[in-house]
């Protein structure tokens, strides 16, 4: 069953975040993932939720998404993201 990874990001170092983005695409593709949403404009319909940046990824399944997140390749990018932004990330099974 496909899995989605939802990421809410608050960038505090835009230049370093651009470096993170350069390292990420190849890691996602290596695990059969793809971008569904990548920083598009958001509009809150309910509640107090208005993320600065929202990214949604799709992977073949939850385990593959978790393997991507824990991979050595993505860890390099992830460490850059930790320096450039605050973020929250979820994985969820899709229909």
């Amino acid at each position: 069953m496909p899995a989605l990874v939802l990421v809410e990001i608050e960038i505090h170092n835009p230049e370093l975040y651009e470096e993170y983005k350069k390292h990420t695409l190849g890691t996602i593709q290596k695990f059969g993932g793809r971008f569904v949403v990548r920083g598009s404009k958001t509009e809150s319909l309910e509640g107090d939720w208005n993320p600065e940046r929202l990214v949604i990824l799709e992977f073949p399944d939850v385990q593959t998404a978790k393997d991507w997140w824990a991979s050595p390749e993505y860890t390099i990018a992830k460490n850059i993201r930790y320096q450039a932004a605050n973020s929250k990330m979820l994985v969820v099974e899709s229909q």
Side-chain angles (χ1 to χ4, degrees), residues 10-17 52 81-86:
E10 179 184 337
I11 301 167
H12 53 78
N13 185 330
E15 291 174 3
L16 192 55
Y17 191 80
E52 176 184 325
R81 178 172 48 82
Y82 289 159
Q83 296 175 55
N86 297 322

Side-chain angles (χ1 to χ4, degrees), residues 7-53:
V7 191
E8 180 180 350
I9 305 161
E10 179 184 337
I11 301 167
H12 53 78
N13 185 330
E15 291 174 3
L16 192 55
Y17 191 80
E18 288 299 315
E19 192 64 31
Y20 161 75
K21 288 178 6 182
K22 291 177 189 175
H23 291 280
T24 304
L25 179 60
T27 69
I28 292 167
Q29 291 174 334
K30 180 178 178 181
F31 286 84
R34 70 178 186 92
F35 284 100
V36 176
V37 173
R38 188 177 191 185
S40 300
K41 183 181 175 195
T42 63
E43 181 179 346
S44 179
L45 298 177
E46 289 189 29
D48 186 21
W49 188 33
N50 192 16
E52 176 184 325
R53 182 174 178 83

Side-chain angles (χ1 to χ4, degrees), residues 40-68:
S40 300
K41 183 181 175 195
T42 63
E43 181 179 346
S44 179
L45 298 177
E46 289 189 29
D48 186 21
W49 188 33
N50 192 16
E52 176 184 325
R53 182 174 178 83
L54 183 68
V55 175
I56 300 175
L57 306 169
E58 182 181 53
F59 288 93
D61 53 56
V62 169
Q63 189 57 56
T64 302
K66 291 164 75 173
D67 291 346
W68 161 75

